[in-house]
Amino acid sequence: MKKLIISIFGAAVLFTSGATSTEASTINTMVNNMTGIPYKWGGTTMAGFDCSGFMRYLFNKYSIELPRTSQQQAKAGTPVSKASIRTGDLVFFNTTGRGISHTGVYIGGGQFAHASSSKGVSITKLSNPYFNDRYVTARRVTGQFMYNKMLGKL
């Protein structure tokens, strides 16, 4: 009985939660299929990624070209406030104390995907204390068409 109630509750949450859990399907599926790919400094392929190489690889799948480094990527597109971040926005962090040094893509539900030097391609909560304390900015590099494509609406 307990499992049935939990299953019913889970289904109710899934069908009532809107964009956060169900709409980000194409980019989430792609990221989930890549989780665990190892970190490789300078890596830009499925054999291994660094953070900016991973962003370039992902966004290339949506015909969006990004600069090579996280510092350069942080100048692309338009700035977005932390409160207005949506699926497909790039998020940037200062992990070295010397300016922007890490990037990821927001995938909804308070999470972002990135190539971590310790875990490889992974999904992390934006509220994770380490990243929350090092958050710098977000940038929107997608127009409405590509945003809809990332959400699986096209």
Side-chain angles (χ1 to χ4, degrees):
M1 181 64 171
K2 193 175 189 180
K3 286 183 182 178
L4 177 63
I5 291 170
I6 291 170
S7 295
I8 292 170
F9 177 74
V13 168
L14 178 65
F15 288 112
T16 61
S17 62
T20 301
S21 66
T22 58
E23 291 181 0
S25 62
T26 62
I27 194 163
N28 284 0
T29 299
M30 190 181 331
V31 166
N32 285 331
N33 289 336
M34 297 173 75
T35 299
I37 292 174
Y39 180 86
K40 181 179 180 188
W41 192 82
T44 60
T45 69
M46 295 288 281
F49 293 106
D50 68 9
C51 64
S52 57
F54 179 48
M55 294 305 102
R56 283 181 58 126
Y57 184 90
L58 279 179
F59 281 82
N60 186 48
K61 297 295 182 185
Y62 295 100
S63 300
I64 298 169
E65 291 205 27
L66 293 175
R68 177 60 188 102
T69 69
S70 56
Q71 287 181 340
Q72 293 167 336
Q73 290 175 6
K75 296 174 185 171
T78 57
V80 179
S81 72
K82 196 172 187 180
S84 300
I85 295 172
R86 71 180 189 190
T87 299
D89 288 343
L90 294 170
V91 290
F92 297 93
F93 306 90
N94 177 351
T95 59
T96 63
R98 295 185 305 251
I100 291 170
S101 54
H102 190 65
T103 185
V105 60
Y106 187 75
I107 60 170
Q111 300 182 101
F112 70 103
H114 60 123
S116 161
S117 59
S118 61
K119 297 179 182 176
V121 173
S122 57
I123 297 170
T124 304
K125 288 190 176 292
L126 202 51
S127 62
N128 171 297
Y130 179 83
F131 287 103
N132 188 52
D133 291 349
R134 290 162 177 80
Y135 177 85
V136 177
T137 191
R139 304 291 285 196
R140 183 159 298 151
V141 294
T142 60
Q144 192 63 41
F145 177 80
M146 283 301 158
Y147 172 67
N148 287 337
K149 193 170 180 178
M150 285 179 169
L151 295 179
K153 292 182 176 182
L154 298 177

PDB file of all heavy atoms in Angstrom, residues 46-47 61 69 76-77 93-94 98 100 122 129-130 135 140 149 151:
ATOM      1  N   MET A  46      33.711  12.778 -27.047  1.00  0.00           N
ATOM      2  CA  MET A  46      33.126  11.781 -26.149  1.00  0.00           C
ATOM      3  C   MET A  46      34.190  10.972 -25.410  1.00  0.00           C
ATOM      4  O   MET A  46      33.890  10.297 -24.445  1.00  0.00           O
ATOM      5  CB  MET A  46      32.206  10.839 -26.934  1.00  0.00           C
ATOM      6  CG  MET A  46      30.982  11.521 -27.517  1.00  0.00           C
ATOM      7  SD  MET A  46      29.772  11.965 -26.283  1.00  0.00           S
ATOM      8  CE  MET A  46      29.005  10.394 -26.023  1.00  0.00           C
ATOM      9  N   ALA A  47      35.440  11.067 -25.819  1.00  0.00           N
ATOM     10  CA  ALA A  47      36.528  10.392 -25.104  1.00  0.00           C
ATOM     11  C   ALA A  47      36.860  11.116 -23.806  1.00  0.00           C
ATOM     12  O   ALA A  47      37.450  10.538 -22.903  1.00  0.00           O
ATOM     13  CB  ALA A  47      37.767  10.307 -25.990  1.00  0.00           C
ATOM     14  N   LYS A  61      25.286  20.454 -31.107  1.00  0.00           N
ATOM     15  CA  LYS A  61      24.157  19.575 -31.467  1.00  0.00           C
ATOM     16  C   LYS A  61      22.908  20.388 -31.805  1.00  0.00           C
ATOM     17  O   LYS A  61      21.993  19.894 -32.450  1.00  0.00           O
ATOM     18  CB  LYS A  61      23.843  18.590 -30.339  1.00  0.00           C
ATOM     19  CG  LYS A  61      24.980  17.631 -30.028  1.00  0.00           C
ATOM     20  CD  LYS A  61      25.258  16.715 -31.198  1.00  0.00           C
ATOM     21  CE  LYS A  61      26.352  15.728 -30.893  1.00  0.00           C
ATOM     22  NZ  LYS A  61      26.709  14.926 -32.043  1.00  0.00           N
ATOM     23  N   THR A  69      36.911  28.799 -24.666  1.00  0.00           N
ATOM     24  CA  THR A  69      37.130  28.791 -23.218  1.00  0.00           C
ATOM     25  C   THR A  69      35.908  29.301 -22.450  1.00  0.00           C
ATOM     26  O   THR A  69      35.070  30.024 -23.004  1.00  0.00           O
ATOM     27  CB  THR A  69      38.340  29.660 -22.832  1.00  0.00           C
ATOM     28  OG1 THR A  69      38.015  31.036 -23.055  1.00  0.00           O
ATOM     29  CG2 THR A  69      39.584  29.260 -23.616  1.00  0.00           C
ATOM     30  N   ALA A  76      29.563  35.548 -24.561  1.00  0.00           N
ATOM     31  CA  ALA A  76      28.632  35.239 -25.660  1.00  0.00           C
ATOM     32  C   ALA A  76      27.192  35.502 -25.208  1.00  0.00           C
ATOM     33  O   ALA A  76      26.885  35.508 -24.019  1.00  0.00           O
ATOM     34  CB  ALA A  76      28.788  33.783 -26.083  1.00  0.00           C
ATOM     35  N   GLY A  77      26.319  35.696 -26.166  1.00  0.00           N
ATOM     36  CA  GLY A  77      24.907  35.839 -25.856  1.00  0.00           C
ATOM     37  C   GLY A  77      24.604  37.070 -25.013  1.00  0.00           C
ATOM     38  O   GLY A  77      25.304  38.067 -25.076  1.00  0.00           O
ATOM     39  N   PHE A  93      31.217  30.105 -13.234  1.00  0.00           N
ATOM     40  CA  PHE A  93      31.715  30.079 -11.865  1.00  0.00           C
ATOM     41  C   PHE A  93      33.193  30.486 -11.822  1.00  0.00           C
ATOM     42  O   PHE A  93      33.927  30.276 -12.780  1.00  0.00           O
ATOM     43  CB  PHE A  93      31.582  28.665 -11.294  1.00  0.00           C
ATOM     44  CG  PHE A  93      30.191  28.120 -11.409  1.00  0.00           C
ATOM     45  CD1 PHE A  93      29.806  27.410 -12.548  1.00  0.00           C
ATOM     46  CD2 PHE A  93      29.260  28.319 -10.412  1.00  0.00           C
ATOM     47  CE1 PHE A  93      28.523  26.914 -12.680  1.00  0.00           C
ATOM     48  CE2 PHE A  93      27.968  27.827 -10.533  1.00  0.00           C
ATOM     49  CZ  PHE A  93      27.595  27.120 -11.662  1.00  0.00           C
ATOM     50  N   ASN A  94      33.593  31.047 -10.685  1.00  0.00           N
ATOM     51  CA  ASN A  94      34.990  31.351 -10.407  1.00  0.00           C
ATOM     52  C   ASN A  94      35.477  30.302  -9.415  1.00  0.00           C
ATOM     53  O   ASN A  94      35.245  30.422  -8.221  1.00  0.00           O
ATOM     54  CB  ASN A  94      35.114  32.759  -9.822  1.00  0.00           C
ATOM     55  CG  ASN A  94      36.536  33.117  -9.451  1.00  0.00           C
ATOM     56  OD1 ASN A  94      37.441  32.288  -9.467  1.00  0.00           O
ATOM     57  ND2 ASN A  94      36.731  34.376  -9.094  1.00  0.00           N
ATOM     58  N   ARG A  98      40.501  33.529  -9.741  1.00  0.00           N
ATOM     59  CA  ARG A  98      41.079  34.415 -10.759  1.00  0.00           C
ATOM     60  C   ARG A  98      40.086  34.725 -11.879  1.00  0.00           C
ATOM     61  O   ARG A  98      40.489  34.893 -13.023  1.00  0.00           O
ATOM     62  CB  ARG A  98      42.345  33.794 -11.321  1.00  0.00           C
ATOM     63  CG  ARG A  98      43.464  33.656 -10.297  1.00  0.00           C
ATOM     64  CD  ARG A  98      44.738  33.139 -10.934  1.00  0.00           C
ATOM     65  NE  ARG A  98      44.522  31.896 -11.646  1.00  0.00           N
ATOM     66  CZ  ARG A  98      44.968  30.705 -11.241  1.00  0.00           C
ATOM     67  NH1 ARG A  98      45.655  30.590 -10.140  1.00  0.00           N
ATOM     68  NH2 ARG A  98      44.724  29.623 -11.948  1.00  0.00           N
ATOM     69  N   ILE A 100      36.336  33.910 -14.115  1.00  0.00           N
ATOM     70  CA  ILE A 100      35.552  32.782 -14.622  1.00  0.00           C
ATOM     71  C   ILE A 100      36.482  31.654 -15.048  1.00  0.00           C
ATOM     72  O   ILE A 100      37.408  31.846 -15.830  1.00  0.00           O
ATOM     73  CB  ILE A 100      34.634  33.216 -15.768  1.00  0.00           C
ATOM     74  CG1 ILE A 100      33.543  34.118 -15.190  1.00  0.00           C
ATOM     75  CG2 ILE A 100      34.039  32.016 -16.500  1.00  0.00           C
ATOM     76  CD1 ILE A 100      32.697  34.824 -16.207  1.00  0.00           C
ATOM     77  N   SER A 122      28.654  15.428 -15.238  1.00  0.00           N
ATOM     78  CA  SER A 122      27.756  15.180 -14.123  1.00  0.00           C
ATOM     79  C   SER A 122      26.712  16.274 -14.021  1.00  0.00           C
ATOM     80  O   SER A 122      26.794  17.299 -14.691  1.00  0.00           O
ATOM     81  CB  SER A 122      28.554  15.075 -12.814  1.00  0.00           C
ATOM     82  OG  SER A 122      29.319  16.239 -12.606  1.00  0.00           O
ATOM     83  N   PRO A 129      26.559  24.172  -2.175  1.00  0.00           N
ATOM     84  CA  PRO A 129      27.320  25.252  -1.544  1.00  0.00           C
ATOM     85  C   PRO A 129      28.605  25.634  -2.290  1.00  0.00           C
ATOM     86  O   PRO A 129      28.916  26.823  -2.408  1.00  0.00           O
ATOM     87  CB  PRO A 129      27.635  24.708  -0.153  1.00  0.00           C
ATOM     88  CG  PRO A 129      26.536  23.735   0.123  1.00  0.00           C
ATOM     89  CD  PRO A 129      26.200  23.126  -1.213  1.00  0.00           C
ATOM     90  N   TYR A 130      29.334  24.658  -2.794  1.00  0.00           N
ATOM     91  CA  TYR A 130      30.570  24.959  -3.514  1.00  0.00           C
ATOM     92  C   TYR A 130      30.285  25.852  -4.715  1.00  0.00           C
ATOM     93  O   TYR A 130      30.939  26.890  -4.918  1.00  0.00           O
ATOM     94  CB  TYR A 130      31.258  23.668  -3.974  1.00  0.00           C
ATOM     95  CG  TYR A 130      32.524  23.916  -4.754  1.00  0.00           C
ATOM     96  CD1 TYR A 130      33.726  24.143  -4.103  1.00  0.00           C
ATOM     97  CD2 TYR A 130      32.509  23.936  -6.147  1.00  0.00           C
ATOM     98  CE1 TYR A 130      34.899  24.393  -4.821  1.00  0.00           C
ATOM     99  CE2 TYR A 130      33.669  24.175  -6.867  1.00  0.00           C
ATOM    100  CZ  TYR A 130      34.854  24.403  -6.199  1.00  0.00           C
ATOM    101  OH  TYR A 130      36.004  24.651  -6.916  1.00  0.00           O
ATOM    102  N   TYR A 135      29.366  31.145  -7.927  1.00  0.00           N
ATOM    103  CA  TYR A 135      28.564  31.574  -9.079  1.00  0.00           C
ATOM    104  C   TYR A 135      28.934  33.005  -9.464  1.00  0.00           C
ATOM    105  O   TYR A 135      29.069  33.873  -8.614  1.00  0.00           O
ATOM    106  CB  TYR A 135      27.081  31.486  -8.726  1.00  0.00           C
ATOM    107  CG  TYR A 135      26.177  31.973  -9.824  1.00  0.00           C
ATOM    108  CD1 TYR A 135      25.782  31.124 -10.854  1.00  0.00           C
ATOM    109  CD2 TYR A 135      25.718  33.285  -9.839  1.00  0.00           C
ATOM    110  CE1 TYR A 135      24.960  31.577 -11.872  1.00  0.00           C
ATOM    111  CE2 TYR A 135      24.898  33.741 -10.849  1.00  0.00           C
ATOM    112  CZ  TYR A 135      24.521  32.882 -11.864  1.00  0.00           C
ATOM    113  OH  TYR A 135      23.716  33.331 -12.867  1.00  0.00           O
ATOM    114  N   ARG A 140      22.522  33.769 -21.930  1.00  0.00           N
ATOM    115  CA  ARG A 140      21.571  33.098 -22.826  1.00  0.00           C
ATOM    116  C   ARG A 140      22.116  33.176 -24.239  1.00  0.00           C
ATOM    117  O   ARG A 140      22.304  34.254 -24.786  1.00  0.00           O
ATOM    118  CB  ARG A 140      20.198  33.767 -22.728  1.00  0.00           C
ATOM    119  CG  ARG A 140      19.149  33.087 -23.566  1.00  0.00           C
ATOM    120  CD  ARG A 140      17.747  33.412 -23.103  1.00  0.00           C
ATOM    121  NE  ARG A 140      17.558  32.932 -21.737  1.00  0.00           N
ATOM    122  CZ  ARG A 140      16.726  33.487 -20.855  1.00  0.00           C
ATOM    123  NH1 ARG A 140      16.016  34.534 -21.191  1.00  0.00           N
ATOM    124  NH2 ARG A 140      16.609  32.977 -19.644  1.00  0.00           N
ATOM    125  N   LYS A 149      13.539  23.698 -29.173  1.00  0.00           N
ATOM    126  CA  LYS A 149      14.141  22.437 -29.602  1.00  0.00           C
ATOM    127  C   LYS A 149      14.765  21.699 -28.416  1.00  0.00           C
ATOM    128  O   LYS A 149      14.623  20.495 -28.268  1.00  0.00           O
ATOM    129  CB  LYS A 149      15.184  22.699 -30.693  1.00  0.00           C
ATOM    130  CG  LYS A 149      15.641  21.460 -31.415  1.00  0.00           C
ATOM    131  CD  LYS A 149      16.484  21.812 -32.624  1.00  0.00           C
ATOM    132  CE  LYS A 149      16.928  20.556 -33.324  1.00  0.00           C
ATOM    133  NZ  LYS A 149      17.710  20.835 -34.518  1.00  0.00           N
ATOM    134  N   LEU A 151      13.803  21.881 -25.437  1.00  0.00           N
ATOM    135  CA  LEU A 151      12.715  21.400 -24.592  1.00  0.00           C
ATOM    136  C   LEU A 151      11.934  20.254 -25.232  1.00  0.00           C
ATOM    137  O   LEU A 151      11.050  19.697 -24.605  1.00  0.00           O
ATOM    138  CB  LEU A 151      11.741  22.545 -24.280  1.00  0.00           C
ATOM    139  CG  LEU A 151      12.310  23.685 -23.442  1.00  0.00           C
ATOM    140  CD1 LEU A 151      11.237  24.746 -23.229  1.00  0.00           C
ATOM    141  CD2 LEU A 151      12.844  23.189 -22.129  1.00  0.00           C
TER     142      LEU A 151
END
